[in-house]
Amino acid sequence: MEDNGISWKCYQNEVAIDTGFEGEEDDWLGNFQDNPLEFFAQYNIHLHEPHILAMQKKYVELPVKIDELKKQIAALPAGDKSLKKLKQQLRETQSNLDAVTKERETWKLGMFEKLSDREKSIHNKAFDTNKNDPHHRQLVSLKYNDDGTEREMQVPMGDVLHQFRDDVKSGNLPTVSWVTAPTNFSDHPSAAWYGAWYVSEVMDILTQNPEVWKKTIFILTYDENDGYFDHVPPFVAPHSHKTGTGKVSNGIDTRVEFVTLEQELERKDFPEKYDRESSIGLGYRVPMVIASPWSKGGWVNSEVFDHTSTLQFLETFLNKKTGKSIKETNISDWRRTVCGDLTSVFRPYNGEEIPNPAFLSKDKFVEGIHKAKFKKLPDDFKVLTADEIVEINKAPHLSHYMPKQESGIKPSCALPYQLYADGKLNRDKGSFELSFTAGNEIFGKNASGAPFSVYAPGKYLQENVRTWAYTAIAGDTLTDAWPLKEFEGGSNYHLRVYGPNGFFREFKGNAADPDLEIALEYQRSANENKKLTGNLDLKLHNLSSNTHTIEIIDHAYKTNNHKRLLEAGSKLNMVLNLANSHGWYDFSVKVSGNQNYEKRYAGRVETGNPSYSDPLMGGMLV
């Protein structure tokens, strides 16, 4: 952006590098090291003036503290219990002084003026603080009455959003801005405190000026999942140079997405011993909230995104806005294939009136959260009975002891996924073959590539729950094969396939599978435009000389169970109507008399039109 003349700025009350905060000050007034530009040498964070002044102050104060500790130690008799702790404090203080001394020798006042204009510019934009607020580095006591008990806590004396607020009011908000919260407003697991007020205040600032808000997209991102279990396996890249770990379409280089064993061994156990190789990511899902005139209404979006998606969105947005070709070269081809650019989030805005929500009062909100520290801890725990444990394991979602999904459904954005995965025995019936397709027939140049994760429940090659990773670019199909002899027992295969947007397939069987060809397709309309209807076409072809009874078993969405007689050599097309489930489906195909054979299909049909979130998860199916 700097090189293309696009205005940008990172807002924070103060930076994370040591500027002399003490006690609670850093948690309320710093930026929790959530501005990663501090980690990059070209931004020269060590030339931040408050940091240099803090080092000067410590250079004077630390020797005095060292002398005091030495005197305390010398005055104590040998064997005194406090000696160990004091000596540790002395070592830490001396180490701190050594670091401060080195810092002062390297970074000094006046060096900033010797930087180039470009270096000064990116430093000032990366580390813009609330220095124009005279109280931005101070706390003040907030006193309140908690049902007759007087409480007191420390809160920021100044405005932690001062400069951001001022730039919005004065019409100087850059084209692209990042706003980074102090620890106590960050909503991290270690500081899940006052973030709701911070977000509310940012939104209040942006909506104060209608001319600003009507052209603003506000993106709220998190970087941790708070330890909550995620039932969706994160997608990963296959090993860059090891067969049997998966495949990617030609042209995708996965080496930057994988840490090999050789690379780990080169670290020589630094910072700790770790002798395993692994894909880097994606990681577990975290929340993202987007607020704008083009995303109003509480919609959800189930496309795969990651931390590069905001950068990909900036590319798309800035390329359109400036007419220039602006590209972040550090985003890998694999992530560009798997992760969207956020454009599927947005819909046309037609000038409808958008009422603002009621924003939060800081002091009142902070008081309410602070009161929670003094509430009585719960003590109504009980030991579950054996019968209750059995019931919970049998149907966790029905137990009133287990967390509940919020009921109801939400409008859901149209996504550019045209996904297929299916499998069958190979010609000699010694292996089970799978194909994975990310189609582009329906959505053309807007079609998305897709990741697929394959799991072998039980053992495969003597390994418990073996996994494989696949990534297909839009318009491509990948294939792979699993020898039946490598499955546990050496005869029955069992594989599960996970893809984006609820896509799931499961395959069970063995060499005695019925000679049955199954194809699941997205139904097209009968008229000339051939648009998708939102239903499924299930096509069956009996290639054997025997008659089979086909069972279609619904698992969730009440599309009804079906039985069809399929004579030798005949074909059968069935339409599964998904209108009542908003395009969601989950069913199996079985053959009467064959207990080992099953193909299970689940997911959501994308038509290019908006839909709704999963009605089963939302408890809407009765």
Side-chain angles (χ1 to χ4, degrees):
M1 288 185 290
E2 185 73 16
D3 293 339
N4 284 280
I6 296 166
S7 60
W8 64 276
K9 189 182 287 188
C10 297
Y11 294 93
Q12 56 255 296
N13 185 70
E14 184 55 273
V15 298
I17 197 171
D18 189 355
T19 63
F21 284 144
E22 297 179 356
E24 293 186 61
E25 291 175 342
D26 191 48
D27 286 344
W28 283 110
L29 304 173
N31 72 7
F32 202 22
Q33 212 171 57
D34 277 347
N35 179 352
L37 299 187
E38 292 192 32
F39 305 148
F40 292 84
Q42 69 192 40
Y43 294 93
N44 290 292
I45 182 59
H46 293 272
L47 292 180
H48 185 60
E49 186 173 316
H51 171 68
I52 295 177
L53 295 176
M55 294 303 98
Q56 290 179 350
K57 184 179 179 183
K58 285 192 172 185
Y59 185 71
V60 174
E61 294 175 343
L62 289 174
V64 176
K65 186 175 182 180
I66 289 171
D67 287 342
E68 290 175 352
L69 288 168
K70 287 180 177 178
K71 290 177 182 177
Q72 291 180 50
I73 292 171
L76 292 173
D80 190 284
K81 291 183 178 180
S82 59
L83 273 174
K84 183 178 180 181
K85 182 177 180 180
L86 288 171
K87 287 181 178 179
Q88 177 64 25
Q89 288 179 345
L90 179 60
R91 287 192 295 269
E92 292 175 354
T93 307
Q94 185 60 61
S95 177
N96 196 0
L97 178 59
D98 293 342
V100 168
T101 301
K102 183 178 180 180
E103 185 87 0
R104 286 187 74 250
E105 292 172 351
T106 308
W107 309 98
K108 302 175 182 178
L109 290 174
M111 291 179 65
F112 183 79
E113 298 307 319
K114 297 178 181 179
L115 298 179
S116 68
D117 289 344
R118 185 180 188 280
E119 289 172 325
K120 292 177 184 177
S121 178
I122 63 173
H123 174 95
N124 288 331
K125 292 174 182 176
F127 309 126
D128 192 81
T129 68
N130 292 328
K131 58 184 178 294
N132 292 326
D133 180 345
H135 305 297
H136 88 285
R137 293 180 56 84
Q138 296 174 261
L139 298 180
V140 67
S141 291
L142 172 65
K143 299 179 181 180
Y144 66 92
N145 186 288
D146 181 7
D147 291 331
T149 301
E150 294 298 322
R151 308 282 190 200
E152 183 175 353
M153 63 180 297
Q154 296 288 292
V155 294
M157 185 176 182
D159 178 6
V160 293
L161 289 161
H162 171 84
Q163 193 57 52
F164 178 71
R165 189 187 308 273
D166 188 66
D167 283 356
V168 172
K169 283 184 176 180
S170 61
N172 291 315
L173 190 67
T175 300
V176 181
S177 304
W178 284 266
V179 184
T180 304
T183 303
N184 285 347
F185 295 114
S186 72
D187 269 356
H188 275 72
S190 60
W193 294 101
Y194 311 105
W197 170 82
Y198 192 88
V199 173
S200 171
E201 193 69 6
V202 170
M203 291 297 297
D204 192 11
I205 291 169
L206 289 171
T207 55
Q208 287 287 327
N209 187 340
E211 291 303 308
V212 171
W213 178 240
K214 74 179 185 181
K215 51 186 178 181
T216 294
I217 295 169
F218 172 72
I219 301 175
L220 172 65
T221 59
Y222 289 77
D223 66 356
E224 295 180 17
N225 70 336
D226 293 4
Y228 288 116
F229 173 75
D230 186 354
H231 68 284
V232 177
F235 297 109
V236 299
H239 198 299
S240 54
H241 58 270
K242 182 181 287 186
T243 58
T245 64
K247 296 180 179 181
V248 295
S249 294
N250 291 335
I252 299 178
D253 186 347
T254 64
R255 285 176 294 179
V256 296
E257 297 292 342
F258 215 96
V259 177
T260 66
L261 177 59
E262 291 75 18
Q263 289 171 322
E264 285 295 344
L265 295 177
E266 285 176 4
R267 295 177 183 266
K268 302 185 185 304
D269 297 342
F270 177 82
E272 61 185 29
K273 183 176 178 59
Y274 189 81
D275 55 359
R276 297 176 65 187
E277 53 192 9
S278 175
S279 176
I280 294 170
L282 309 177
Y284 295 103
R285 294 180 301 170
V286 296
M288 171 182 275
V289 178
I290 298 180
S292 75
W294 306 277
S295 56
K296 68 185 183 69
W299 288 52
V300 297
N301 188 295
S302 298
E303 188 174 356
V304 176
F305 300 122
D306 82 331
H307 63 282
T308 71
S309 294
T310 52
L311 296 178
Q312 293 186 61
F313 172 71
L314 282 180
E315 289 177 338
T316 303
F317 171 74
L318 295 174
N319 289 346
K320 297 285 187 181
K321 182 177 178 67
T322 66
K324 299 179 180 179
S325 179
I326 299 172
K327 185 174 183 179
E328 171 49 72
T329 57
N330 290 301
I331 303 175
S332 70
D333 290 336
W334 181 78
R335 289 187 184 251
R336 289 187 182 277
T337 301
V338 169
C339 305
D341 66 358
L342 300 183
T343 53
S344 64
V345 167
F346 302 104
R347 304 175 306 282
Y349 172 55
N350 300 312
E352 305 94 334
E353 183 178 350
I354 306 175
N356 290 337
F359 297 110
L360 301 174
S361 166
K362 183 181 74 173
D363 286 356
K364 185 177 180 181
F365 179 79
V366 167
E367 287 176 16
I369 297 295
H370 189 254
K371 286 179 183 178
K373 296 175 66 174
F374 310 102
K375 287 186 176 181
K376 178 179 176 292
L377 292 175
D379 58 5
D380 56 344
F381 304 110
K382 59 162 283 187
V383 177
L384 295 174
T385 67
D387 289 342
E388 287 172 331
I389 293 172
V390 169
E391 288 302 312
I392 290 173
N393 289 330
K394 182 179 179 181
H397 61 288
L398 296 179
S399 171
H400 66 273
Y401 291 118
M402 303 298 287
K404 294 289 186 182
Q405 166 74 25
E406 182 181 357
S407 62
I409 57 177
K410 294 285 187 181
S412 185
C413 299
L415 305 180
Y417 287 130
Q418 182 187 349
L419 308 181
Y420 305 92
D422 219 324
K424 61 181 180 181
L425 292 171
N426 66 352
R427 186 168 297 179
D428 65 8
K429 300 185 182 298
S431 295
F432 187 76
E433 296 179 341
L434 271 175
S435 64
F436 313 90
T437 299
N440 63 355
E441 176 192 4
I442 297 171
F443 303 113
K445 63 182 180 62
N446 294 321
S448 175
F452 299 91
S453 298
V454 177
Y455 284 66
K459 288 187 177 181
Y460 183 89
L461 287 173
Q462 302 304 309
E463 180 180 331
N464 288 318
V465 195
R466 181 75 178 265
T467 66
W468 298 260
Y470 299 85
T471 300
I473 62 175
D476 196 17
T477 296
L478 304 174
T479 60
D480 212 344
W482 285 258
L484 268 59
K485 65 180 181 180
E486 307 297 358
F487 288 90
E488 188 173 8
S491 58
N492 290 333
Y493 65 83
H494 187 185
L495 295 170
R496 292 173 177 155
V497 180
Y498 296 84
N501 195 30
F503 185 90
F504 175 77
R505 301 290 187 263
E506 185 171 22
F507 306 97
K508 298 178 183 179
N510 53 36
D513 282 354
D515 199 0
L516 182 66
E517 189 174 88
I518 301 176
L520 185 65
E521 298 181 2
Y522 306 116
Q523 187 192 44
R524 302 295 189 95
S525 61
N527 53 30
E528 292 182 0
N529 60 33
K530 298 293 183 182
K531 289 186 177 180
L532 298 186
T533 66
N535 298 325
L536 292 172
D537 267 340
L538 181 62
K539 299 183 177 182
L540 308 169
H541 185 187
N542 186 355
L543 300 174
S544 73
S545 56
N546 300 317
T547 297
H548 292 303
T549 300
I550 308 299
E551 301 178 24
I552 312 299
I553 300 172
D554 173 73
H555 295 295
Y557 298 102
K558 303 188 183 302
T559 54
N560 296 325
N561 297 333
H562 307 273
K563 275 192 177 183
R564 294 289 188 274
L565 201 65
L566 195 60
E567 296 182 352
S570 66
K571 296 180 179 181
L572 173 66
N573 289 0
M574 291 183 60
V575 174
L576 300 181
N577 191 317
L578 307 181
N580 292 332
S581 62
H582 306 294
W584 293 88
Y585 60 93
D586 184 358
F587 67 92
S588 288
V589 178
K590 293 185 176 183
V591 175
S592 296
N594 191 322
Q595 298 301 314
N596 295 311
Y597 180 79
E598 179 181 0
K599 287 190 175 184
R600 184 172 180 175
Y601 303 85
R604 180 173 73 171
V605 178
E606 292 295 337
T607 65
N609 296 315
S611 183
Y612 287 90
S613 60
D614 187 347
L616 176 68
M617 187 180 294
M620 300 298 290
L621 299 175
V622 293

